[in-house]
Structure formats: C-alpha cells, structure tokens
Amino acid sequence: MKVSIYRYNPDTDREPTMKEYEVDTQGKDLMVLDILALVKEQDESLSYRRSCREGVCGSDGMNINGKNGLACITPLSEVAPGVKEGKKPLVLRPLPGLPVIRDLVVDMGVFYEQYEKVQPYLQNQSPAPAIERLQSPEERAKLDGLYECILCACCSTSCPSFWWNPEKFLGPAALLQSYRFLADSRDDATEERLSRLDDPFSLFRCRGIMNCVSVCPKGLNPTRAIGHIRSMLLERGV
Amino acid sequence: MSIRTITFDAIVVGGGGAGMRASLQMAQSGFKTALISKVFPTRSHTVSAQGGITCAIASADPNDDWRWHMYDTVKGSDYIGDQDAIEYMCQVGPEAVFELDHMGLPFSRTEEGRIYQRPFGGQSKNFGEGGQAARTCAAADRTGHALLHTLYQQNLKNGTQFYNEWYAAELVKDANENVCGVIAISIETGETVFFKAKATVFATGGSGRIYSSTTNALINTGDGVGMALRAGVPVQDIEMWQFHPTGIAGAGVLVTEGCRGEGGYLINKDGERFMERYAPNAKDLASRDVVARSMMMEILDGRGDGPDGNYVYLKLDHLGEEVLHSRLPGICELAITFAGTDPVKEPIPVVPTCHYMMGGIPTNVHGQALKMSGGHEGEDQIVNGLFAVGEVACVSVHGANRLGGNSLLDLVVFGRAAGLYIEDALRQGMTQYEPSNDDIEAALTRVNRWNDSKGGESVHSLRKELQTTMQNHFGVFRKGDLMEEGVQKLADLRGRIAKAHLDDKSSAFNMARVEALELDNLLEVAEATAIAAYNRTESRGAHSRYDYPDRDDENWLCHSIYDPRTKQLGKREVNFKPKTVETFQPKVRTY
C-alpha cells in the first residue's frame, strides 16, 4: 500500500514536502503506528512520537487522512474505505494548528500552557484527614468521562476556535480538565476556578462546533463539560 | 569539545510514578530539583498500569493488617525479597496511598465513601490462613493513568523544573567513582548538556523491550540499567523477569489481573478452568509466576487454541455487562481494539508476556545505590551520589516474583523515601563531586561513537535480533544449553552493535539517534539477564529451569549480583531481619 507522510527537517529542508512510501502489509489490518514502524525500517530519518502503543499515553496524536486520531489504536480499516486494500493512500500529517518541529512532531507548548492555566490539581483548604477524604460513589461518578483525558491534543488541534485564539481560548482539553476539578467533591476552589474563566475568551470562545467530541480517541465529551461550566458561570451570575 | 553545564541540588531521571514522587518530595521542600524525561511525563509507562495499588488501608476489610500484606509479599518473592524493605513498604504504604487521595487521585469508591479495593493474585488474610483478601486500591482499571496524571499535576503545583524530551545518555563520575550527574541530550534541538547535581536519582523504569513480545511501552529500554552497568555499578537478581499471565495474544497488550480479581478465569481450548488443577486453593489468583507457568504447560500439552495452538482464554462474560463496563472499562476497549473480541460476549485470547523486571540496581531503603567491595561479592558499599527508585531499582521488595499491585506501591513508597532522604541529606550538606574535563569527555564517548559512525548494520535489524534471542533463549521456561547458546549470541551481538551505524546525524528531534542510544542499553540489560539466568542453577519464582527444576535454598537463598566489569555472578545475602515483626521463614510455596 501507499503511504504519504508529511516530512520536514529544519536542519536540511527549506519547506515541508509530502513523501511517498510503499509498505507491504501482507493484507493485514495493521494499526497506523505499525505502518510508521515499517516506514522507519526503510527510512530511519522519519520522526514521530510514540510510547505505550495502546492508546493510553497520548503520544502519537496525528492527522490521519484528514482526521485527528491516535496512530496506535487506529486500524487501517477505520481510516477510510479503500486504505487497507491499498486502493487509497494513507495520508499522515502532524496535528494541525501547532508549529511543526520535525516531520510528525509538533510543538505542544501552547497546549500545555493552557492546561496549566486551569490549575489542574486538587485544591482543598481544610486539613487532610488521617485517612482518605470520603467521597460517595455518586460523587465519584461525576469524574467519569473527565479524568480519563490523555492530553493527546487531538481535540484542541481540531478546534477552529483554538486555531484562531490558541493563546486566549483555553481549548477543549484544558476546559475538560477544568471541569474535572470543578466536579470533584474534594475540591473547594470552585469560586476561584470560575472567576478565572469568566472572560470573553477563555471559555466563551467555544462555539459548540463539536470537532473535539468527534475526534476524541477516548470517547470523551469536552463540549458537554464546557456546557456544565457555562451553566455554573450563569448560575453564579444570577 | 566543551558542553554547557546546568547545576541542580538533585536531578531525577525518568518521569514515571517513582521519579515524580521523588521530585515532588524534593520540590516541596524547596530544593532546586530537575526532572529529566525522554517523554512528556504523562507518557511514561506508569500510565499503562491498570488494576491498582496494593495496600492494607482497611477499606474492604476493616481488620486488614499490613503484616498480612508483608507475609504475602515475602511468600510471593519466593523468599528472596528483603524483609526489612518489604516491611517498610507495607507499613508506610497506607500513608503514601492516603497522600495520593489528598493529591486528588480519583480512586473508585465504596458505599462508605472509602477507596475501593479488589482482590488480586497472591493475596491472603491472616498470614495465608484466612482466605483471599481484597487489598488492591483501584481507580477503575486505569489506576496507573490516574496516579501518573495526579503526580504530574502536583509537580506542576510545586514548581519542579521539567526537562521534557531530554534523553539521559550517560552517568558522569569523578576519578573516585563518585556520581556527579548525567549527560543528557535535548531531543528537540540535539544540544548535549552536563546536568550536575549532588544527588542523581534514576527512575528510568524497566526494560521489557529486550523481549520481542512484551506488555511494556516502546520506551522501556532499560536506560538506567544500561548507564549503571557501563559505569561499573552492578545489578541484582536481573535474571528475574515476570511474564504476566494475560497479555493479549499477538499484540502483547496487558489485560489486568484485576479481571481475575473481579471473578474472571482462564480456560483452555476445551473450555476447562485449568487453574483448578495447578493451584487448587487460589486457582486463578495464584501468584503470577505460577499462573504463567500453568498456562504454558497447557499450551505445551496441546490444550492451547488458535491456528498455532499457542494461546488460552480469559473468560469474563459471566461477570455481566454492567460490572465489565463499570469496573473494567479500559479492558473492554483494549480487547475490542487489539483482539477483536468484546469481553461482554467472548473470552479474550491471552498468553504469558514479558511484563516486569524484578531485578535492577541494588539499593537500600533510602534508594542509595549499592555496589560490592569485591565487584561481584563482598561488603555493601554506597555509590556516592547515585540513587535508584521504582522498577530500575532492586531494593528488593519483589525478590523472584512480584505480586500484582505491588509495583505502584513500590513506586510511591520508595520514590517518597528517596526524596525524604535526599531532602534531609541536602539540609545537612551533601557533597557535590566535581568531575574533570576528562571525566566528562569519557561520558561522551558513546554519544560521539554513534555521531561519528560511518557504516555498519542498522539499529532496527540488530534490535530485532536481540529481542528474538531473548524471547527464544530466556523465556518462561529455561534450559542450560539453550541459555548458553543465547549468551554466545549476545556476545556476538555486542561486537556488532559496537560497530552499528546511525545514518541520520541531524540535530532536530532525531528519533533515530535516540533509538541507537537505547539499543546499547537493551544490550546491557539482555547480557546481564542472560549471564545471571545461566548461572543461577535452580528454579525460583519467575526463574524456572528444566535442568534445575527445584528451589535450592542451600545454595541460592540469596540475591545474585552481576558485575559488568568481570561479567561474573556473585551472591549477596537476603535481609531476614525486619524491625518490628518476626522473620518469615522460607517455606514450600503453594497456592
């Protein structure tokens, strides 16, 4: 099958190019990450991030035939009709909207900065008990669909609002994390957290496009989390 | 060539659970701490831990006792775990786990609002007399992910200085073998820097990638062990490799022991629950070494399924959709993605798969690295300036076989212990050893070798050959002549890897260079494993030999010590002197 990969090495290339490779899959429904490994056997100069190869570390987010996803849990058969059969090329590009360092590796700096802005850690002023802070199963259930985020950036880099204002709009990943702490019964910094989001950009630049939901490899729903924060801000305003 | 020097009080190499627990401790106390990680910390392999963290917090059972946990761990280790270290881990454990809750780790909960605990293999109540315990604290089946993200968040809060995507290549020592820091390369720019520190903490994790089939992440290449061995620091019990019973056949992806804790069980191709024959009491919740061997016997006796008859099944469908989706949601995803089976309806094809390195750099309970006065034998001596925590260390709490859920506990307890010790030592004034220019130059030899390579075999073909050698010669069952052949093959590989070629010499995000440097480390770990396995002439825990089928307490109730300088294997005493409880005497180990 044919694979077309975005190549750019700042040491040697004046501009990026798409490079074509031929890979023998022996008809198997390999993961996109397996294909990258086969390409790297032919051409060791290809760079991409990878670690767990099972969809939990979030290293290998990339744009696969136009859609963001994790290479390690995207089988060829799910990329697009005809790709696995070799009728259509597999097209791999870096995540959109972030500066490219090299090949499929993007500079995630601004993405991490937005994450840090939501103060993504539990805050509780009361002294900790000698055992755990108690939390009912119902309270804990509110964190499901939030804590599982793997920071792969597939969502934020598919979001037009983030493309336009990556420094001012926090983006779906950071907002999901913000809500993860707002929803935690053990956290008591709700007021401060909401105050920091109460401006025209940080949260309210979300236009409900829902690209984040359609690409999230973990099946999470940042748009819904953003909706919950909006409601909290509105209730607080009344 | 002169390179930039960056100075810290302490540096931690590795951003997994152990490294970030250590760095957190030191950052909280205000010391200048750097964490160097070859990946962004939340991409470290701790993220893949599923089932939980074993600890007697007395939630599932109000009468639970850390001494029972200690008993299980000593027995699980096949009696070569150090009892003072195991005692410390089990006793301090609850404090370390409650701290994680206070940091925000989203543990699953009981109706009482306490942390949910599930049964895991090798767990008992009342020193093996009271039946199965439920002692593994869980955040669904994503405990490692929850733990790693929580620790990263706390490090952000406390101002740890991260050097993410920096690759630590070599230890820097002075003329007297004191550790002064490490050479590290910025993967993004290619810049090579000397990180100087009073304390260098290795938290580089395991090295499952020496095998071709492993549950380990692609980054688990034994970088810390490689650096230590090249610096002349020995390794202990490195022949002890855990094969996890349930790796997904083919893909090698892990399926947590928590599945069996929740009531799942293994069946052969005839649908028989075969563990009832091998471990009549604990059945599917016997220790991992026992279950892995039983599965291999089923397969070797022709009761495996599939086109090559080389896997058995993990049956979960009887637990019902609700339990599976609430307790084991990650497993359902993984099984569908990597085995094409939905565990709600069908069993998952599984096979024992390389999972965990019980051996590593010998340390005391403070994480201080140890060497022997006579190389492979003699008295313990502290390696000044060097610490090791987590999987790269051998403190030793796991001995010849680790119990499920004890790895995450090891990470946080000993990451914390090393942090506490260094914090205290820094307050009292720790020595900064100063290397000469020649010392730094010596540490750059290997990096320069690859950068100057002009031709030779490729990294990926040599890596594949190394992995195949380990898989075929040092698997679940081992045999003297086969291992001897393996040792020869590795000696040959050493010669060829020393002349291998890095074609891509560019500086920006050059992953080919990283993989080349990793290959040297894989070789160091593989060779140490091979020589130690060949020389330990008994079967104990995960080390199982056809030619020496029995445990030999007379000769081998001890640690093995591999000296990289002479390639000799020596012996070191196991600690049988816990401080607050009676010694657990070696017994015949049955489940």
Side-chain angles (χ1 to χ4, degrees):
Chain A
M1 64 175 288
K2 273 200 170 36
V3 190
S4 176
I5 304 179
Y6 179 103
R7 298 300 310 269
Y8 173 68
N9 181 343
D11 290 357
T12 51
D13 303 336
R14 288 180 57 189
E15 55 188 35
T17 51
M18 295 301 290
K19 192 167 175 191
E20 314 290 325
Y21 296 91
E22 191 66 44
V23 168
D24 182 10
T25 62
Q26 299 172 336
K28 289 187 209 156
D29 191 17
L30 297 176
M31 297 293 174
V32 171
L33 185 66
D34 300 328
I35 301 295
L36 282 166
L38 291 171
V39 171
K40 199 163 168 68
E41 286 183 11
Q42 299 173 23
D43 179 354
E44 72 171 26
S45 73
L46 172 67
S47 275
Y48 53 93
R49 292 187 176 105
R50 79 287 178 276
S51 175
C52 76
R53 60 83 173 91
E54 58 189 23
V56 294
C57 81
S59 296
D60 61 355
M62 56 187 68
N63 188 272
I64 305 167
N65 288 53
K67 190 176 174 186
N68 290 355
L70 296 181
C72 60
I73 53 169
T74 305
L76 292 174
S77 58
E78 280 177 21
V79 172
V83 170
K84 176 180 166 255
E85 294 74 23
K87 291 179 193 146
K88 250 194 197 171
L90 172 68
V91 184
L92 303 177
R93 296 172 184 271
L95 289 173
L98 295 176
V100 174
I101 297 173
R102 171 174 174 166
D103 300 338
L104 299 173
V105 179
V106 290
D107 180 349
M108 310 235 324
V110 67
F111 173 79
Y112 295 136
E113 279 162 31
Q114 299 302 55
Y115 170 70
E116 289 176 31
K117 272 190 203 159
V118 306
Q119 302 194 349
Y121 36 81
L122 194 85
Q123 297 179 40
N124 190 321
Q125 298 304 318
S126 65
I131 59 166
E132 66 271 45
R133 291 183 194 276
L134 300 183
Q135 183 174 52
S136 71
E138 294 70 32
E139 288 167 335
R140 169 59 183 76
K142 291 184 180 154
L143 308 183
D144 285 336
L146 304 173
Y147 82 95
E148 301 93 326
C149 172
I150 57 174
L151 299 177
C152 65
C154 284
C155 61
S156 293
T157 62
S158 71
C159 171
S161 301
F162 191 75
W163 293 338
W164 277 111
N165 293 293
E167 272 100 28
K168 293 200 272 185
F169 173 54
L170 293 172
L175 289 166
L176 186 86
Q177 285 309 300
S178 178
Y179 186 61
R180 178 248 172 276
F181 289 98
L182 285 165
D184 195 322
S185 63
R186 297 170 297 174
D187 189 280
D188 63 10
T190 304
E191 179 53 35
E192 295 80 353
R193 290 184 189 281
L194 289 175
S195 296
R196 279 197 307 277
L197 298 174
D198 199 1
D199 64 67
F201 279 94
S202 300
L203 171 98
F204 286 104
R205 277 284 135 166
C206 170
R207 296 295 187 233
I209 299 164
M210 295 180 76
N211 278 2
C212 54
V213 182
S214 84
V215 299
C216 177
K218 304 310 285 181
L220 310 180
N221 190 330
T223 308
R224 191 192 304 150
I226 292 168
H228 286 308
I229 306 177
R230 277 180 202 266
S231 308
M232 290 175 90
L233 277 166
L234 288 174
E235 276 169 31
R236 176 173 163 267
V238 185
Chain B
M1 173 176 151
S2 88
I3 57 170
R4 188 155 68 100
T5 300
I6 309 180
T7 307
F8 287 92
D9 290 316
I11 51 174
V12 178
V13 182
M20 287 208 287
R21 188 63 189 81
S23 62
L24 174 61
Q25 196 65 42
M26 295 184 285
Q28 276 172 341
S29 58
F31 286 104
K32 215 177 150 213
T33 309
L35 189 142
I36 301 168
S37 174
K38 65 178 174 178
V39 292
F40 182 78
T42 64
R43 329 264 183 233
S44 306
H45 187 52
T46 303
V47 82
S48 291
Q50 298 170 352
I53 174 164
T54 303
C55 189
I57 61 160
S59 162
D61 171 6
N63 298 317
D64 200 10
D65 191 319
W66 66 264
R67 294 165 193 88
W68 301 349
H69 180 198
M70 179 180 172
Y71 167 84
D72 293 342
T73 304
V74 171
K75 177 182 172 187
S77 80
D78 219 347
Y79 300 97
I80 61 163
D82 289 310
Q83 298 200 7
D84 57 342
I86 297 173
E87 176 187 40
Y88 179 79
M89 177 176 82
C90 297
Q91 192 174 16
V92 173
E95 204 179 317
V97 169
F98 294 140
E99 280 171 4
L100 291 173
D101 167 76
H102 302 156
M103 290 176 199
L105 199 157
F107 282 112
S108 302
R109 298 285 163 167
T110 65
E111 286 304 321
E112 293 75 39
R114 296 210 57 195
I115 293 171
Y116 169 73
Q117 294 182 291
R118 60 161 58 107
F120 247 56
Q123 292 180 357
S124 76
K125 296 181 184 184
N126 196 19
F127 309 107
E129 305 292 326
Q132 176 74 39
R135 194 174 289 129
T136 302
C137 310
D141 56 359
R142 303 188 180 98
T143 316
H145 169 277
L147 185 149
L148 191 66
H149 280 252
T150 301
L151 284 175
Y152 178 63
Q153 293 161 354
Q154 290 297 314
N155 273 279
L156 281 181
K157 184 181 173 189
N158 287 282
T160 300
Q161 194 160 346
F162 285 101
Y163 287 83
N164 296 332
E165 298 183 327
W166 280 71
Y167 183 78
E170 214 71 284
L171 271 174
V172 176
K173 302 178 298 173
D174 69 9
N176 298 316
E177 310 257 304
N178 301 305
V179 170
C180 319
V182 294
I183 298 292
I185 304 168
S186 160
I187 298 176
E188 183 176 338
T189 66
E191 187 192 7
T192 304
V193 167
F194 168 40
F195 283 85
K196 187 165 99 170
K198 296 173 186 127
T200 299
V201 184
F202 273 3
T204 52
S207 186
R209 287 282 153 186
I210 62 170
Y211 288 90
S212 37
S213 174
T214 173
T215 63
N216 282 196
L218 291 156
I219 58 172
N220 286 24
T221 52
D223 298 332
V225 175
M227 286 188 275
L229 288 172
R230 278 191 302 274
V233 176
V235 286
Q236 174 171 285
D237 297 337
I238 196 72
E239 65 278 24
M240 299 299 178
W241 283 86
Q242 178 163 83
F243 289 78
H244 194 290
T246 54
I248 293 178
V253 169
L254 174 70
V255 176
T256 175
E257 186 169 304
C259 290
R260 284 170 284 139
E262 297 287 346
Y265 55 86
L266 295 160
I267 52 175
N268 59 23
K269 75 168 180 191
D270 306 321
E272 183 205 3
R273 186 175 181 182
F274 58 86
M275 279 313 298
E276 289 177 336
R277 274 189 277 122
Y278 296 93
N281 298 313
K283 295 175 190 157
D284 298 82
L285 288 177
S287 262
R288 286 180 178 170
D289 57 336
V290 174
V291 179
R293 272 194 294 278
S294 308
M295 292 168 74
M296 287 310 294
M297 311 254 266
E298 287 300 295
I299 290 167
L300 295 171
D301 285 350
R303 288 188 290 278
D305 209 356
D308 301 317
N310 58 0
Y311 55 75
V312 295
Y313 294 105
L314 175 63
K315 180 174 149 57
L316 295 170
D317 57 298
H318 57 286
L319 301 179
E321 190 168 350
E322 202 188 311
V323 169
L324 288 175
H325 286 166
S326 64
R327 299 280 186 225
L328 302 165
I331 294 308
C332 295
E333 276 174 33
L334 287 173
I336 291 167
T337 307
F338 289 100
T341 55
D342 181 352
V344 172
K345 299 179 192 130
E346 304 163 279
I348 309 170
V350 291
V351 67
T353 305
C354 168
H355 182 57
Y356 188 85
M357 176 176 84
M358 267 79 72
I361 301 170
T363 70
N364 60 22
V365 289
H366 308 302
Q368 293 177 289
L370 303 173
K371 59 184 175 183
M372 302 295 111
S373 57
H376 64 290
E377 57 190 9
E379 301 293 309
D380 288 2
Q381 293 178 336
I382 284 164
V383 181
N384 291 321
L386 183 63
F387 296 76
V389 288
E391 192 169 341
V392 66
C394 183
V395 52
S396 150
V397 286
H398 310 305
N401 172 65
R402 173 172 74 74
L403 292 189
N406 267 355
S407 167
L408 292 183
L409 187 65
D410 172 7
L411 303 187
V412 293
V413 166
F414 291 104
R416 180 177 179 272
L420 286 166
Y421 179 86
I422 295 168
E423 200 183 309
D424 200 43
L426 285 169
R427 262 190 217 109
Q428 291 175 25
M430 243 177 135
T431 311
Q432 172 66 65
Y433 297 99
E434 297 288 342
S436 67
N437 281 338
D438 285 353
D439 295 329
I440 294 174
E441 203 56 43
L444 287 166
T445 313
R446 187 170 77 96
V447 176
N448 293 338
R449 207 294 289 165
W450 282 107
N451 287 342
D452 297 338
S453 69
K454 293 199 173 64
E457 292 179 85
S458 75
V459 168
H460 86 87
S461 64
L462 287 163
R463 184 176 55 215
K464 214 173 235 177
E465 202 174 319
L466 181 146
Q467 291 167 334
T468 310
T469 303
M470 293 308 292
Q471 193 76 27
N472 294 342
H473 294 263
F474 302 93
V476 174
F477 290 115
R478 298 165 173 186
K479 219 168 122 215
D481 51 354
L482 198 62
M483 286 195 283
E484 196 174 8
E485 213 179 291
V487 171
Q488 294 301 328
K489 285 188 184 176
L490 290 168
D492 169 62
L493 273 167
R494 178 174 286 279
R496 289 159 60 200
I497 289 172
K499 289 183 288 205
H501 184 219
L502 171 68
D503 185 46
D504 182 1
K505 310 280 202 301
S506 61
S507 44
F509 226 99
N510 183 342
M511 286 303 291
R513 177 179 289 123
V514 171
E515 290 189 17
L517 292 164
E518 288 173 339
L519 177 63
D520 290 327
N521 296 326
L522 290 172
L523 174 72
E524 297 294 345
V525 183
E527 191 181 44
T529 300
I531 292 174
Y534 176 66
N535 284 292
R536 187 185 270 270
T537 48
E538 66 156 354
S539 289
R540 181 185 300 272
H543 179 61
S544 182
R545 293 181 64 145
Y546 284 123
D547 45 354
Y548 293 92
D550 300 319
R551 193 172 86 187
D552 177 2
D553 282 351
E554 203 172 308
N555 294 300
W556 286 105
L557 186 61
C558 61
H559 297 297
S560 74
I561 291 285
Y562 169 78
D563 175 9
R565 290 190 168 140
T566 59
K567 303 201 181 199
Q568 278 188 293
L569 196 77
K571 297 178 181 182
R572 178 170 173 254
E573 277 180 18
V574 170
N575 180 291
F576 285 101
K577 292 191 184 116
K579 293 194 176 69
T580 64
V581 294
E582 294 268 308
T583 301
F584 292 106
Q585 297 297 342
K587 287 193 292 195
V588 176
R589 191 163 153 258
T590 54
Y591 284 97

